[in-house]
Amino acid sequence: MRTLIQGGTVVTAEGSYPADVLIDGETIAAVGRDLAALGAVDTTIDASGKYVIPGAIDVHTHMELPFGGTFAKDTFETGTRAAAWGGTTTILDFAVQSRGRSLREGLDAWHAKAEGNCAIDYGFHMIMSDVNDATLAEMDGLVADGVTTFKLFTAYPGVFLSDDGAIFRAMQQTAKNGGLIMMHAENGLAIDVVAAQTFAEGKTDPYYHGVVRYPIFEGEATNRAIRLAEAAEVPVYIVHLSAREALNEVRAARDRGAAAFAETCPQYLFLTLDDMGNGFEGAKFVCSPPLRPPDHAVELWKGLAKDDLQVVSTDHCPFDFEGQKELGRGDFRKIPNGLPGVENRVDLLHDGGVVAGRITANRWVEIISTAPARMFGLYPRKGAVAVGSDADLVVYDPKAKHTISASTHHMNVDYSCYEGREVQGWSTVVLSRGKTVIENGAYVGQKGDGRFLRREPSQEYLKAT
Ligand code: URP
Ligand code: ZN
Ligand code: ZN
């Protein structure tokens, strides 16, 4: 099967230029001018007036995550379909090790949830709930099997929290096996003290979830994680960075030459603590780290422009307002943490980043696709418009406008954090390994099109960056 994407502007992390893209089977066969001359094709896609970009890569999703007595609402089937609608052709989801069980058991459970159900390609990180001799030894096997990245937490005491010794030991293990530690960096023990005191004062609304998780608690934990990684002589990746205090720690670390990397998420760029007001409606915006006052987002945009932040992922973790977020009525500490967003990231970043003049179109492609591919051992198979790369491609209309709404989105959740927001930019055609999965707003793929991605360790690349 040969497909020609004709007459578009190829936009990559490196530059933009008019070119056709020829796909043969699952990979890109040629990129250049007037490729129709190369012979007959089965399908031609007209990309005139549009961008042709590498499919976006969302390295932080939680399909079906158990949290707070319930489960994130999107399955791998509904969540990856929604991702495709939004121009994302790869997700990396977090498999969870349950306390007292093996990493392998957790990973097998995630494979069982995903296999045969995904619309796009997918890989896994591993959440380590216990760090001990057995799980440390298991890490090596997972790296060999293409699960090269491990998330640890300084938050959520009693559930996911690891102490400093455990974090350091896991980092030492990645020094040997080439894996990478991803840190959820908030001081969960201090947060719980403030949360209990605040609740005891009768402050029970969702808004207080945002108040008690001080920015300085995120800054402290970010510094601690980076310092431990420096001591272990490994790179470290801070997930869902939200606060100026945390960004300043990453900046300082990078200035002294540490291999410290970080992502932020659209919610921290486009939403603020004020969204958590309005009584229990604020539960729709409860996530950790929490939304911050608007001055933090100004710094995050600077961080993205200057490469102190390398990636924007979604931390997609959707809970219905009805029946799920409602578990925390009367006690903000019981609201399941997480927001939907896998479908909206590409357009929000295009509209609020490129159209608003904060970043170039090339930087947009870099932070949504190319940098994630490089950081997580997928480049140049993914994240590139280049001969030999997988034909994960998006024909993107940079002029088309649409309004985000729960009534039209495809995520399996009963509200949108961006309800009524108009955005400029739209994925008109989305191809996953050469197969069209989205065409002018319609899903034309099939459940099970997506394959598991065995990833390469990326430490050597990260150390050199
Ligand atoms: O609120 C969040 N972020 N929920 C998902 C779990 C996590 O910590 O990433
Ligand atoms: Zn987290
Ligand atoms: Zn997360």
Side-chain angles (χ1 to χ4, degrees), residues 243-325:
R244 181 203 305 106
E245 284 76 352
L247 175 59
N248 284 341
E249 296 298 344
V250 174
R251 283 175 170 148
R254 292 174 66 80
D255 285 351
R256 66 178 176 262
F261 302 90
E263 64 178 21
T264 189
C265 311
Q267 51 269 36
Y268 305 121
L269 297 166
F270 295 104
L271 304 172
T272 73
L273 182 61
D274 287 348
D275 290 301
M276 299 182 69
N278 195 19
F280 196 72
E281 281 289 302
K284 292 177 177 171
F285 300 91
V286 165
C287 58
S288 293
L291 305 183
R292 304 292 186 191
D295 48 317
H296 291 259
V298 174
E299 286 302 311
L300 297 181
W301 279 112
K302 282 189 211 159
L304 282 171
K306 292 192 186 304
D307 204 36
D308 287 316
L309 296 169
Q310 293 75 38
V311 170
V312 175
S313 67
T314 61
D315 196 7
H316 175 75
C317 189
F319 298 101
D320 273 346
F321 181 69
E322 243 185 86
Q324 292 193 296
K325 291 286 187 182

Side-chain angles (χ1 to χ4, degrees), residues 212-398:
V212 303
R213 304 181 86 89
Y214 300 166
I216 198 167
F217 291 152
E218 191 183 339
E220 181 279 322
T222 300
N223 173 56
R224 190 163 21 119
I226 294 171
R227 286 302 195 178
L228 290 170
E230 286 179 86
E233 299 182 15
V234 291
V236 65
Y237 181 91
I238 309 295
V239 295
H240 48 43
L241 187 148
S242 74
R244 181 203 305 106
E245 284 76 352
L247 175 59
N248 284 341
E249 296 298 344
V250 174
R251 283 175 170 148
R254 292 174 66 80
D255 285 351
R256 66 178 176 262
F261 302 90
E263 64 178 21
T264 189
C265 311
Q267 51 269 36
Y268 305 121
L269 297 166
F270 295 104
L271 304 172
T272 73
L273 182 61
D274 287 348
D275 290 301
M276 299 182 69
N278 195 19
F280 196 72
E281 281 289 302
K284 292 177 177 171
F285 300 91
V286 165
C287 58
S288 293
L291 305 183
R292 304 292 186 191
D295 48 317
H296 291 259
V298 174
E299 286 302 311
L300 297 181
W301 279 112
K302 282 189 211 159
L304 282 171
K306 292 192 186 304
D307 204 36
D308 287 316
L309 296 169
Q310 293 75 38
V311 170
V312 175
S313 67
T314 61
D315 196 7
H316 175 75
C317 189
F319 298 101
D320 273 346
F321 181 69
E322 243 185 86
Q324 292 193 296
K325 291 286 187 182
E326 281 182 330
L327 293 168
R329 265 196 201 280
D331 187 347
F332 65 84
R333 297 170 299 177
K334 298 197 172 129
I335 301 167
N337 287 199
L339 308 185
V342 77
E343 190 172 349
N344 305 131
R345 177 183 63 130
V346 171
D347 296 341
L348 283 168
L349 266 290
H350 181 264
D351 183 63
V354 183
V355 178
R358 291 180 171 117
I359 52 172
T360 64
N362 308 104
R363 181 66 179 150
W364 167 64
V365 169
E366 186 164 31
I367 62 184
I368 61 171
S369 179
T370 307
R374 287 196 162 116
M375 300 254 158
F376 291 94
L378 289 169
Y379 190 84
R381 179 171 167 195
K382 309 285 190 191
V385 182
V387 174
S389 294
D390 281 356
D392 288 5
L393 294 163
V394 177
V395 179
Y396 197 80
D397 186 340

Side-chain angles (χ1 to χ4, degrees), residues 128-156:
M128 292 180 74
S129 303
D130 303 303
V131 176
N132 54 40
D133 289 347
T135 58
L136 286 167
E138 272 196 282
M139 286 172 83
D140 302 358
L142 265 64
V143 171
D145 287 348
V147 177
T148 58
T149 40
F150 302 85
K151 185 179 178 190
L152 296 173
F153 297 73
T154 57
Y156 308 134

Side-chain angles (χ1 to χ4, degrees), residues 77 80 114-120 433 443 446-451:
E77 182 181 354
T80 57
E115 202 179 340
N117 290 319
C118 292
I120 54 171
R433 273 185 288 97
Y443 175 65
Q446 269 172 345
K447 171 174 154 166
D449 282 341
R451 284 195 212 134

